[in-house]
Amino acid sequence: MLLAGSGLEGLRLFHAERPDLVVLDIIMPEMDGLTVVRRIREIAETPIMVLSAQAVTEDDIIEGLIAGADEYLVKPVRLNEFVARVRALLRRAQIVSSEADYGYDDGYLNVDLHRRQVRVNGEKKHLTPTEFKLLVVLMENAGRVVPQRELLEQVWGREYIDDIYYPRVYVSQLRRKIEPDPANPTYILTEHRVGYRFEKQNAP
């Protein structure tokens, strides 16, 4: 385990050591936690958990998730809950598919499960472990509406079954990264008050 006394020191430590998981606070000297998250997201998909006593509304949590955090916990946090969330976060970083050679390529969107790579119109896109797992779960259920609670259980784990804002935030992030027009999605469609559906596109 590596410890840093400030946001800037933590970012330097991340660059030097490349840990498997980052846990950080929002309020830190020299550089705040959300800035650290954004800097890490510029170069890596490492799982990030934010701990904060500042978040009192859902909007605060959503801001952290949009910045690039995979998990946002409000202090005080019980030890058993913290451990369960860390384990769930690390599980999400290890994608396991029922089909070893599963992938997708329609000429515009290319998903290589073995390499954990996503390319859009030939350009490599950086997806966080959670974003990648969400995309894979939706693709494995292509053409079928996946209810929000099912998504929460499959992507985040049973510990998250009531955190209904997670799918909304992450679907929005995914659309920004893979859709030709995020405002008018063609891959990830919303079934109002039910869930989301992935629609395969015909190759040109």
Side-chain angles (χ1 to χ4, degrees), residues 143-160:
R144 180 179 81 86
V145 177
V146 184
Q148 290 197 48
R149 289 176 70 87
E150 185 178 331
L151 269 183
L152 282 163
E153 185 169 351
Q154 288 196 40
V155 178
W156 285 270
R158 291 188 177 182
E159 304 91 341
Y160 298 77

Side-chain angles (χ1 to χ4, degrees), residues 98-110:
S98 58
E99 301 177 54
D101 60 348
Y102 180 82
Y104 180 83
D105 187 6
D106 62 18
Y108 177 82
L109 175 63
N110 177 278

Side-chain angles (χ1 to χ4, degrees), residues 2-68:
L2 307 168
L3 298 176
S6 70
L8 189 58
E9 182 186 350
L11 189 59
R12 288 171 179 160
L13 199 58
F14 177 83
H15 281 283
E17 303 292 338
R18 292 300 177 99
D20 294 327
L21 174 72
V22 175
V23 180
L24 49 78
D25 204 333
I26 291 292
I27 306 300
M28 297 187 292
E30 295 184 325
M31 183 181 291
D32 68 271
L34 291 184
T35 300
V36 175
V37 171
R38 293 186 185 101
R39 294 284 182 85
I40 290 175
R41 280 292 167 254
E42 290 173 359
I43 60 169
E45 296 86 36
T46 305
I48 301 174
M49 173 185 285
V50 169
L51 294 175
S52 178
Q54 298 298 110
V56 294
T57 69
E58 181 178 312
D59 287 342
D60 294 321
I61 298 174
I62 289 174
E63 182 184 8
L65 298 177
I66 290 174

Side-chain angles (χ1 to χ4, degrees), residues 67-118:
D70 292 284
E71 173 66 272
Y72 199 119
L73 288 181
V74 180
K75 296 187 288 187
V77 181
R78 297 188 304 274
L79 179 59
N80 60 345
E81 180 185 4
F82 174 77
V83 171
R85 298 267 176 151
V86 166
R87 287 175 175 167
L89 189 51
L90 290 173
R91 280 199 310 270
R92 293 204 297 274
Q94 302 297 320
I95 299 296
V96 177
S97 174
S98 58
E99 301 177 54
D101 60 348
Y102 180 82
Y104 180 83
D105 187 6
D106 62 18
Y108 177 82
L109 175 63
N110 177 278
V111 180
D112 186 326
L113 184 62
H114 180 68
R115 294 191 178 123
R116 297 174 60 89
Q117 288 184 356
V118 174

